[in-house]
């Protein structure tokens, strides 16, 4: 059985290949049961979340991700997300690989956002704003830069020191990146705003979005969590990764639905529709688009298969 740790997983998941693999999986006959989503008490701290996400392609592969999210881990200098992905044969059930779940999740999440941006962001989008300084921030910069001609990156975080550190890391990767403290000003200038936080309150206001902006919301993954306000969904054309996920977990969608700000019919398409060509995505340069992602098990399966096949192919070529 193959065991891929964090570095090996990252090396096996090249951005363009991963984005393409996820797009193909959205076009496939992948089976994705509703994921298990459990709240876990942590005495004296914010509650954690335990996620179990199964998916399979009949006769091909079966996979399940076990993931934990501990929001207060930043107080200990630890990542918020830990987990593992178990990949098995869809013909025999034989265990094939254990893939680092944290790295897989971070990379497939960023790649899915980039996939959506390929349909929804303006083709000339060059100014990227990343809201949040966690593990995903650098991945989002890299992934979006494979899809659009990103020339400059602004990074905002609640802790300015963390934003400065993330910007420095991005510059080491060759990006023109700077930290910012004025979120409103940075949002008003950005072509793509990518939010990856664990916020329970809106951070990005719809009034700040310029014509043609693309708002990418990926951090809040519970009905009680939110990264955008009512004006953002009111002004934008709304897209989601999966309708089922959005209608059960996405606070950025569910809260304005409950308040009567939007209707379910205002969700124009999900990634199944976009990948299959049932919706063209962005229709005008001045249009404001919003993509809400809560994560889908088929994205993990696509990444795990890609990593497994890439590493086994390399082993075969070396022997």
């Amino acid at each position: 059985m193959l065991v891929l740790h964090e570095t090996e997983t990252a090396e096996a998941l090249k951005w363009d290949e991963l984005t393409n693999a996820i797009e193909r999986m959205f076009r496939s006959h992948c089976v994705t049961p509703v994921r298990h989503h459990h709240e876990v008490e942590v005495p004296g701290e914010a509650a954690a979340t335990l996620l179990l996400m199964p998916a399979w392609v009949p006769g091909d592969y079966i996979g399940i991700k076990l993931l934990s999210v501990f929001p207060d881990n930043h107080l200990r200098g630890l990542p918020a997300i830990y987990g593992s992905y178990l990949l098995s044969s869809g013909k025999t059930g034989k265990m094939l690989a254990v893939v680092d779940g944290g790295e897989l999740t971070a990379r497939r999440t960023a790649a899915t956002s980039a996939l959506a941006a390929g349909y929804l962001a303006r083709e000339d989008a060059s100014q990227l704003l990343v809201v949040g300084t966690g593990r995903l921030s650098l991945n989002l910069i890299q992934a979006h830069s494979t899809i659009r001609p990103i020339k400059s990156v602004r990074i905002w975080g609640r802790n300015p020191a963390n934003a400065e550190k993330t910007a420095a890391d991005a510059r080491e990767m060759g990006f023109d990146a700077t930290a910012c403290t004025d979120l409103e000003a940075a949002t008003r200038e950005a072509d793509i705003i990518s939010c990856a936080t664990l916020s329970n309150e809106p951070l990005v206001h719809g009034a700040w979005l310029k014509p043609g902006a693309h708002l990418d919301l990926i951090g809040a993954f519970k009905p009680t969590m939110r990264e955008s306000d009512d004006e953002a969904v009111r002004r934008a054309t709304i897209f989601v990764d999966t309708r089922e996920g959005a209608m059960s977990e996405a606070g950025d969608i569910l809260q304005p639905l409950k308040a009567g700000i939007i209707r379910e019919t205002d969700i124009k398409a999900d990634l199944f529709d976009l990948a299959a060509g049932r919706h063209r995505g962005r229709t005008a340069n001045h249009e404001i688009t919003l993509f809400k992602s809560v994560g889908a098990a088929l994205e993990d399966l696509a990444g795990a298969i890609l990593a497994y096949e890439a590493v086994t192919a390399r082993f075969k070529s070396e022997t």
Side-chain angles (χ1 to χ4, degrees):
M1 182 178 67
L2 186 66
V3 177
L4 299 180
H5 298 292
E6 181 177 332
T7 300
E8 297 160 325
T9 300
E11 291 175 347
L13 298 178
K14 308 302 183 187
W15 290 114
D16 55 347
E17 295 175 1
L18 179 56
T19 302
N20 291 336
I22 293 171
E23 184 173 39
R24 289 194 300 270
M25 193 63 80
F26 270 103
R27 293 173 178 161
S28 76
H29 299 290
C30 183
V31 180
T32 55
V34 176
R35 66 185 180 185
H36 298 258
H37 190 278
H38 303 283
E39 185 170 288
V40 178
E41 299 80 7
V42 182
E45 297 184 15
T49 303
L50 177 65
L51 297 172
L52 292 83
M53 301 173 65
W56 59 86
V57 177
D60 196 1
Y61 290 100
I62 301 173
I64 183 168
K65 184 171 73 174
L66 301 112
L67 196 73
S68 65
V69 182
F70 281 71
D72 283 348
N73 266 2
H74 70 280
L75 301 174
R76 291 175 279 269
L78 296 174
I81 298 174
Y82 284 102
S84 295
Y85 197 91
L86 310 180
L87 184 68
S88 303
S89 167
K91 293 181 179 179
T92 67
K94 178 182 177 181
M95 184 70 70
L96 301 174
V98 178
V99 182
D100 182 84
E103 187 65 23
L104 173 62
T105 300
R107 294 182 81 85
R108 68 78 159 152
T109 301
T112 300
S113 283
L115 172 62
Y119 294 107
L120 304 178
R122 286 174 53 127
E123 291 188 4
D124 62 352
S126 62
Q127 312 295 319
L128 172 65
L129 168 63
V130 175
V131 180
T133 59
R135 181 175 192 165
L136 270 171
S137 55
L138 292 174
N139 287 330
L140 287 165
I141 295 169
Q142 295 173 83
H144 279 295
S145 295
T146 66
I147 297 295
R148 289 294 182 262
I150 301 301
K151 295 180 180 178
S152 69
V153 180
R154 308 291 302 278
I155 300 161
W156 180 91
R158 294 184 189 276
N159 185 326
N162 289 344
E164 292 285 358
K165 174 64 167 58
T166 302
D169 290 342
R171 288 194 294 271
E172 288 186 6
M173 294 178 173
F175 295 100
D176 179 8
T178 57
C180 64
T181 56
D182 189 336
L183 181 56
E184 177 180 349
T187 300
R188 289 183 180 279
E189 295 176 358
D191 299 315
I192 299 174
I193 304 97
S194 191
C195 300
T197 74
L198 297 176
S199 179
N200 289 306
E201 301 294 335
L203 296 171
V204 174
H205 294 239
W208 302 345
L209 300 171
K210 70 180 184 181
H214 172 58
L215 180 58
D216 175 39
L217 303 173
I218 60 179
F221 60 92
K222 293 181 182 179
T224 56
M225 303 171 77
R226 199 165 181 189
E227 295 179 307
S228 65
D229 69 353
D230 289 342
E231 185 65 12
V233 293
R234 184 185 288 113
R235 293 187 68 198
T237 306
I238 302 170
F239 300 85
V240 297
D241 55 349
T242 68
R243 291 181 184 272
E244 182 179 43
M247 294 306 297
S248 62
E249 298 179 357
D252 286 283
I253 303 297
L254 294 175
Q255 291 183 39
L257 273 173
K258 184 177 180 179
I261 304 300
I262 59 172
R263 297 172 295 177
E264 189 172 346
T265 53
D266 288 321
I267 301 175
K268 298 304 181 184
D270 61 13
L271 278 177
F272 292 106
D273 299 321
L274 293 170
R278 292 189 291 268
H279 193 289
R280 61 180 291 189
R282 173 177 288 273
T283 58
N285 279 339
H286 66 273
E287 182 180 15
I288 295 172
T289 54
L290 182 153
F291 175 67
K292 176 56 192 166
S293 171
V294 294
L298 66 82
E299 299 160 11
D300 297 298
L301 181 60
I305 293 170
L306 175 63
Y308 170 72
E309 292 184 345
V311 173
T312 53
R314 189 178 74 237
F315 286 163
K316 289 179 181 178
S317 68
E318 293 174 351
T319 58

